[in-house]
Amino acid sequence: MQENFNMEELMDLLFTRQFRKLKDILTEMNEVDIATFIEELDSEKTVVVFRMLPKELASDVFACLEVDKQEHIINSITDYELGTIVDDLFVDDAVDMLEELPANVVKRVLKNARPDTRKLINQFLNYPENSAGSIMTAEYVGLKQSMTVEQAFAYIRKNGVDKETIYTCYVMDAKRRLEGVVTVKDLLMNPYEEIIGNIMDTHVIKAFTTEDQEEVADSFQKYDLLSLPVVDHEERLVGIVTVDDVVDVMEQEATEDFEKMAAMLPSEKPYLKTGVFQLAKNRIAWLLILMISSMITGGILAKYEAAFAVIPLLVTFIPMLTDTGGNAGSQSSTMIIRGMAVGEIEPGDLFKVLWKELRVGIIVGAILGFVNYVRLVILYPGKEMLCLTVVLSLMVTVVIAKTIGCVLPIAAKVFHMDPAIMAAPLITTIVDAVSLIIYFQLACSLLGL
Amino acid sequence: MQENFNMEELMDLLFTRQFRKLKDILTEMNEVDIATFIEELDSEKTVVVFRMLPKELASDVFACLEVDKQEHIINSITDYELGTIVDDLFVDDAVDMLEELPANVVKRVLKNARPDTRKLINQFLNYPENSAGSIMTAEYVGLKQSMTVEQAFAYIRKNGVDKETIYTCYVMDAKRRLEGVVTVKDLLMNPYEEIIGNIMDTHVIKAFTTEDQEEVADSFQKYDLLSLPVVDHEERLVGIVTVDDVVDVMEQEATEDFEKMAAMLPSEKPYLKTGVFQLAKNRIAWLLILMISSMITGGILAKYEAAFAVIPLLVTFIPMLTDTGGNAGSQSSTMIIRGMAVGEIEPGDLFKVLWKELRVGIIVGAILGFVNYVRLVILYPGKEMLCLTVVLSLMVTVVIAKTIGCVLPIAAKVFHMDPAIMAAPLITTIVDAVSLIIYFQLACSLLGL
């Protein structure tokens, strides 16, 4: 993506020590862009530039930095400066950061926060990973039923400045139980003397603190929300999730699915920031499992040693057969896994899906078989039975691969496993074994081996 | 996901013809939920229920329906009813629908729209698919620099009700050129007599109509936006994109990547709504290409026929070798493709990535080799050279597979191709060929074949 600022100009001002001019430009810039600039700087210059920023902006920029830069800044500033920043951060940003920092740094951060901030952060840190509680923040606007629109506006004007969103306001009773929501649009469209209780929407779409973040993302997508209230099990409002965090959750969940579907354990950090040993660790488990599984396929082959000792040519069709089968199966499993991830396909659709894949398998298998047959009769004239063996095996393999590819992910879901593990690597290994059995059995009968 | 309403109760009321009570409940419900209910009904009941809805709500529900239900309703209502709905729809929803409908239905829809709506829809229909122009809508709040905060509020109160968002307002000059943005939060935090020109933000993050929707999504994610103005090449404001549409774009783009990475052409429709022939068509192209490529691998094998005619046991290690190589390579390519899709990895990172994958390949290859060696010396005592051949081939294959897996997606990007095609299927086919050459070359030298 194109940058919205002139990186070179800023670097130039920094290196020629034109700090006043640099400061003027930075103060006018978006916090995300300033963070992008700071990410490019070495340790020493990072602190120089960070200290140039006005207090308010400094916290905003700090929230946009990567955790290693944050750690470096924390270690370079005074306790007082640190306290100001922590108190200015939204709780969700503070929690995201603290979850990544080493224990001694976390201790220093919490020590310098105000007692109420510290209490809140500690509470939020305790919600399970990937739950609604772990991505919510505490900075929302809370109103009362008895307020008028005018009073609500006055309250927002006074308290709204440091809220993560002011556009959806939450109406609570004396025990902080959520009673309704009212948007600023509702407030603007109603007369000043109207009572909040009369215009609030009581059909509130909400989440519980322990609910999975994927379900939270689904709600946002289904109902086109900008924010979602999170309540505890006594229906008390404890925080809100905003759409910008949901956008990040969606990207993270998709990335995890890509990783799982390529036989890796999902990584916590971005690729370039993950160490070599961590990457190797994430990858070795499935590689070992799949390697051992494919030894079984080798065992199947060993049983037919006699067959390919007689006709060694049989061996040369193995890659074409197993690869095509594996690809056909992965296509189906990918469609089904993704369909379940976005909520389109449910286990109840099994027979609908199976019927569809069966027909697709027959069409695709027939075309592949035909192309192959033409090639084989040209290349190996006079060996019709061999050609027939290869082509028949291919067609049967494709149909079976498509069936396996759609049944296994759905079966995984039924047994409360993650469908994403039933992706290309595992499907390929299973289809390999199946296709070789079909191939050599057909060879034995058709070629009389 | 759990429904937020009682589907059975609604069905019951409908089938026992308690229409008044049903109508009362529906009127209180969220439009998304009403649409979910209507999706479950047959053709006749669909129209009965749809006609129960108050006019305002009917358009909202209509926008949430799948296109086949929309088409059925359009064909069952009067021209007058149709005109009302079309004029009430946001332009982006109308355009989404019209892009899917058959030409004669589109004609009838446009004929019954107001002339200005018709003109706008026609203009928006002309933007290229997947461009910012194709996902934007026209219902935004436009202000003037010279207005006061009080005038702005009055304007929003009067015109805001049918805007897609009122929370970000766009400030334009007399020629509709975008000069700045001001949020309702800014308006609320400033005194009534303040001039908009003084409080608007002139550093506007914007998109051009022809820009790719993926770039639009990136901007939303980077800057945590709720809406983004879209301008033409004369900087005139023509529409806005809102975050709810971006959430859909993100899901759609991820789905497309999953499809491409499993060797399929991306489908336009959800899986269950896609016909068998369309599915087969999306899948056959890559299956054919990959099948023909794996024939090359077969050709390589044919060259070593003499080798496995002497030691048929060699053949039984082929699946383990090619599968493990393929899996190792796909792991790397998946990480790199996804890293590039989310903007973390750039072609300039090639050497950083290569160095990382090389080390990961060596660690992973060593572990896999060791496990294999232990197994082989137990199973085949006295055949040390054979064991060594298999293990060495495996280790070299893994390292090369990881290298290919990271280089090819980056190379694709450099040559302006889609990195997603360099995923598991293609990588597997390439690694197959490479691993077999390594294996039989090693066998020939180490075993003296």
Side-chain angles (χ1 to χ4, degrees):
Chain A
M1 198 166 33
Q2 268 293 304
E3 307 293 352
N4 278 307
F5 62 99
N6 189 336
M7 177 75 84
E8 263 177 54
E9 184 195 357
L10 297 185
M11 285 292 183
D12 205 52
L13 290 174
L14 179 59
F15 281 85
T16 53
R17 307 185 64 82
Q18 300 182 55
F19 294 150
R20 160 143 309 166
K21 199 167 166 204
L22 180 59
K23 187 178 165 177
D24 287 346
I25 296 180
L26 289 175
T27 313
E28 283 291 300
M29 274 170 59
N30 184 299
E31 63 266 21
V32 179
D33 292 326
I34 302 176
T36 309
F37 170 56
I38 291 182
E39 290 290 344
E40 297 295 312
L41 304 176
D42 64 26
S43 324
E44 187 209 341
K45 296 234 165 24
T46 293
V47 184
V48 172
V49 171
F50 187 74
R51 282 217 163 107
M52 259 175 222
L53 303 172
K55 221 181 81 180
E56 217 16 62
L57 189 58
S59 316
D60 292 345
V61 171
F62 185 83
C64 300
L65 290 169
E66 303 275 348
V67 78
D68 44 357
K69 278 282 171 192
Q70 289 177 329
E71 185 178 351
H72 173 70
I73 291 174
I74 292 173
N75 291 333
S76 317
I77 60 179
T78 65
D79 281 0
Y80 174 76
E81 288 171 310
L82 178 57
T84 326
I85 289 174
V86 177
D87 290 329
D88 266 3
L89 284 180
F90 289 129
V91 179
D92 57 346
D93 294 329
V95 167
D96 281 354
M97 173 183 81
L98 292 174
E99 276 170 345
E100 306 274 321
L101 288 176
N104 60 326
V105 183
V106 172
K107 221 166 146 183
R108 183 165 163 246
V109 170
L110 289 176
K111 206 188 73 193
N112 289 294
R114 280 204 315 262
D116 51 339
T117 310
R118 183 162 56 233
K119 204 179 139 204
L120 208 54
I121 291 176
N122 273 321
Q123 179 199 337
F124 278 43
L125 275 171
N126 276 327
Y127 290 111
E129 211 184 341
N130 299 336
S131 66
S134 75
I135 53 169
M136 71 185 179
T137 195
E139 292 81 4
Y140 54 85
V141 177
L143 301 177
K144 289 197 172 55
Q145 278 212 45
S146 56
M147 282 176 165
T148 60
V149 168
E150 188 169 15
Q151 286 169 328
F153 272 128
Y155 181 85
I156 295 171
R157 275 176 184 270
K158 197 170 154 222
N159 300 289
V161 70
D162 56 358
K163 302 304 182 201
E164 182 131 7
T165 182
I166 62 162
Y167 300 133
T168 309
C169 305
Y170 300 92
V171 185
M172 291 173 289
D173 68 10
K175 287 182 170 158
R176 304 195 65 76
R177 275 188 303 243
L178 186 61
E179 296 179 311
V181 292
V182 64
T183 64
V184 165
K185 187 167 180 176
D186 300 330
L187 295 178
L188 280 172
M189 298 299 147
N190 276 288
Y192 270 160
E193 53 285 356
E194 186 62 85
I195 301 294
I196 298 295
N198 296 338
I199 57 169
M200 71 181 188
D201 184 356
T202 55
H203 295 83
V204 187
I205 296 155
K206 56 178 185 271
F208 290 96
T209 47
T210 49
E211 217 169 304
D212 194 89
Q213 62 179 11
E214 252 180 287
E215 280 173 56
V216 173
D218 286 346
S219 289
F220 269 86
Q221 206 172 353
K222 185 169 175 190
Y223 294 104
D224 289 351
L225 305 173
L226 295 179
S227 60
L228 179 79
V230 183
V231 298
D232 64 15
H233 284 279
E234 280 138 49
E235 298 273 331
R236 283 179 310 213
L237 185 64
V238 282
I240 59 168
V241 176
T242 49
V243 68
D244 54 304
D245 296 316
V246 167
V247 167
D248 296 338
V249 165
M250 284 179 61
E251 185 177 283
Q252 183 194 328
E253 296 281 345
T255 299
E256 275 186 23
D257 278 351
F258 276 109
E259 289 169 338
K260 285 187 215 152
M261 288 170 73
M264 289 176 280
L265 307 181
S267 51
E268 308 262 300
K269 284 191 208 173
Y271 175 82
L272 292 175
K273 307 233 167 196
T274 313
V276 169
F277 283 99
Q278 187 59 46
L279 284 177
K281 208 176 126 196
N282 291 344
R283 298 183 191 180
I284 191 69
W286 271 108
L287 284 182
L288 273 171
I289 294 172
L290 294 167
M291 184 179 77
I292 291 166
S293 314
S294 60
M295 288 170 183
I296 299 171
T297 313
I300 293 171
L301 263 182
K303 280 185 64 181
Y304 296 102
E305 245 184 71
F308 57 77
V310 180
I311 314 182
L313 191 59
L314 280 176
V315 173
T316 64
F317 300 112
I318 292 180
M320 189 272 294
L321 207 61
T322 54
D323 281 0
T324 306
N327 290 332
S330 325
Q331 286 181 333
S332 306
S333 72
T334 301
M335 288 300 274
I336 307 307
I337 293 169
R338 182 65 185 163
M340 290 199 286
V342 301
E344 190 216 342
I345 301 173
E346 312 259 328
D349 297 317
L350 175 62
F351 291 103
K352 224 187 293 177
V353 169
L354 195 55
W355 175 227
K356 205 160 216 166
E357 288 300 315
L358 216 60
R359 286 175 295 163
V360 175
I362 290 169
I363 297 172
V364 168
I367 298 174
L368 294 173
F370 174 75
V371 173
N372 232 322
Y373 191 75
V374 171
R375 187 188 80 109
L376 290 178
V377 290
I378 295 171
L379 274 180
Y380 304 100
K383 295 191 178 170
E384 281 77 21
M385 285 317 270
L386 178 74
C387 301
L388 197 67
T389 304
V390 174
V391 169
L392 269 182
S393 309
L394 180 70
M395 284 163 53
V396 177
T397 296
V398 168
V399 174
I400 292 182
K402 292 249 168 243
T403 312
I404 294 175
C406 73
V407 171
L408 286 190
I410 296 181
K413 181 91 174 188
V414 171
F415 292 109
H416 300 289
M417 287 156 65
D418 189 340
I421 61 165
M422 298 298 183
L426 198 58
I427 296 289
T428 303
T429 307
I430 296 170
V431 169
D432 270 11
V434 174
S435 63
L436 288 178
I437 294 178
I438 295 168
Y439 181 45
F440 282 105
Q441 280 301 338
L442 274 174
C444 290
S445 15
L446 292 181
L447 304 174
L449 295 170
Chain B
M1 199 168 33
Q2 268 294 301
E3 306 294 351
N4 279 307
F5 62 99
N6 190 336
M7 178 76 82
E8 264 176 54
E9 186 195 356
L10 296 186
M11 286 292 182
D12 207 50
L13 290 174
L14 180 59
F15 281 85
T16 54
R17 309 184 64 83
Q18 301 183 55
F19 293 150
R20 160 142 310 163
K21 201 167 165 201
L22 179 58
K23 186 179 167 176
D24 288 347
I25 295 180
L26 289 175
T27 313
E28 283 292 299
M29 274 169 57
N30 184 299
E31 64 267 21
V32 180
D33 293 326
I34 302 176
T36 310
F37 170 57
I38 291 181
E39 290 290 345
E40 297 295 312
L41 304 177
D42 63 28
S43 322
E44 186 209 342
K45 295 233 166 27
T46 293
V47 184
V48 172
V49 170
F50 187 74
R51 282 216 162 109
M52 260 177 220
L53 303 172
K55 222 181 79 180
E56 223 7 70
L57 189 58
S59 315
D60 291 346
V61 170
F62 185 82
C64 300
L65 290 170
E66 302 277 349
V67 79
D68 42 358
K69 279 281 170 195
Q70 289 177 330
E71 185 178 350
H72 173 69
I73 290 174
I74 292 173
N75 291 332
S76 318
I77 61 179
T78 65
D79 281 2
Y80 175 77
E81 287 171 311
L82 178 57
T84 326
I85 289 175
V86 176
D87 289 330
D88 265 4
L89 284 181
F90 289 127
V91 179
D92 57 346
D93 293 328
V95 167
D96 282 355
M97 175 184 80
L98 293 175
E99 277 169 346
E100 307 272 323
L101 288 178
N104 61 326
V105 184
V106 172
K107 220 166 147 185
R108 181 165 165 246
V109 170
L110 288 177
K111 206 189 72 192
N112 289 293
R114 277 203 316 261
D116 51 338
T117 311
R118 183 162 57 232
K119 202 179 142 205
L120 207 54
I121 291 177
N122 273 321
Q123 178 198 339
F124 277 43
L125 276 171
N126 275 327
Y127 290 110
E129 211 185 344
N130 299 335
S131 67
S134 74
I135 54 168
M136 70 185 181
T137 195
E139 292 80 5
Y140 54 84
V141 177
L143 301 177
K144 289 198 172 54
Q145 279 212 45
S146 55
M147 283 177 164
T148 62
V149 168
E150 189 169 12
Q151 286 169 326
F153 272 128
Y155 182 85
I156 295 171
R157 274 177 186 270
K158 197 170 154 226
N159 301 288
V161 70
D162 57 358
K163 301 303 181 199
E164 181 131 9
T165 181
I166 62 163
Y167 300 133
T168 309
C169 305
Y170 299 92
V171 185
M172 291 172 288
D173 68 10
K175 288 182 171 158
R176 305 195 65 76
R177 274 188 304 243
L178 185 61
E179 296 180 313
V181 292
V182 64
T183 65
V184 165
K185 187 168 180 175
D186 299 330
L187 294 177
L188 280 172
M189 299 299 149
N190 276 289
Y192 270 158
E193 54 285 356
E194 185 63 84
I195 302 292
I196 298 295
N198 296 337
I199 57 168
M200 70 181 188
D201 184 356
T202 55
H203 295 85
V204 187
I205 296 153
K206 57 177 181 275
F208 289 96
T209 47
T210 49
E211 216 169 306
D212 194 90
Q213 61 178 9
E214 251 181 289
E215 279 173 56
V216 172
D218 286 348
S219 290
F220 269 87
Q221 205 173 356
K222 186 170 173 189
Y223 294 105
D224 289 350
L225 304 173
L226 296 180
S227 60
L228 179 79
V230 183
V231 297
D232 65 15
H233 284 279
E234 279 139 50
E235 298 273 331
R236 284 178 310 212
L237 185 64
V238 281
I240 60 167
V241 176
T242 48
V243 69
D244 53 305
D245 295 315
V246 166
V247 166
D248 296 338
V249 166
M250 285 179 59
E251 187 177 283
Q252 183 195 329
E253 295 282 345
T255 298
E256 274 186 23
D257 277 352
F258 276 109
E259 290 169 337
K260 285 187 214 153
M261 288 170 73
M264 289 175 280
L265 306 181
S267 50
E268 306 263 299
K269 285 192 206 169
Y271 174 80
L272 292 177
K273 309 232 165 197
T274 312
V276 169
F277 284 98
Q278 187 60 47
L279 284 177
K281 207 177 128 196
N282 291 344
R283 298 182 190 180
I284 191 68
W286 271 106
L287 284 182
L288 273 172
I289 294 173
L290 293 167
M291 184 180 78
I292 292 165
S293 313
S294 60
M295 288 171 183
I296 299 171
T297 313
I300 293 172
L301 263 181
K303 281 183 63 179
Y304 297 103
E305 247 185 69
F308 56 77
V310 180
I311 315 183
L313 190 60
L314 279 176
V315 173
T316 65
F317 301 111
I318 291 179
M320 188 272 293
L321 206 61
T322 55
D323 282 0
T324 306
N327 290 331
S330 324
Q331 287 182 333
S332 306
S333 73
T334 301
M335 289 300 274
I336 307 308
I337 292 169
R338 182 65 185 161
M340 289 198 288
V342 301
E344 191 216 341
I345 301 173
E346 312 259 327
D349 297 318
L350 175 64
F351 292 104
K352 225 188 288 177
V353 169
L354 195 56
W355 174 227
K356 205 161 215 166
E357 288 299 314
L358 216 61
R359 286 176 295 164
V360 174
I362 291 169
I363 296 173
V364 169
I367 299 174
L368 294 173
F370 174 76
V371 172
N372 232 324
Y373 191 75
V374 171
R375 185 188 83 109
L376 290 178
V377 291
I378 294 172
L379 274 181
Y380 305 99
K383 296 192 176 167
E384 281 76 20
M385 285 318 270
L386 179 74
C387 301
L388 197 66
T389 305
V390 175
V391 169
L392 269 182
S393 309
L394 180 69
M395 284 161 56
V396 176
T397 297
V398 168
V399 174
I400 291 182
K402 292 248 169 246
T403 311
I404 294 175
C406 73
V407 171
L408 285 191
I410 296 181
K413 180 93 175 187
V414 171
F415 291 107
H416 301 289
M417 288 157 63
D418 189 339
I421 61 166
M422 299 297 183
L426 197 59
I427 297 289
T428 303
T429 307
I430 296 170
V431 169
D432 270 12
V434 174
S435 63
L436 288 179
I437 295 177
I438 295 169
Y439 180 45
F440 282 104
Q441 280 300 340
L442 272 174
C444 291
S445 14
L446 290 181
L447 305 173
L449 294 171

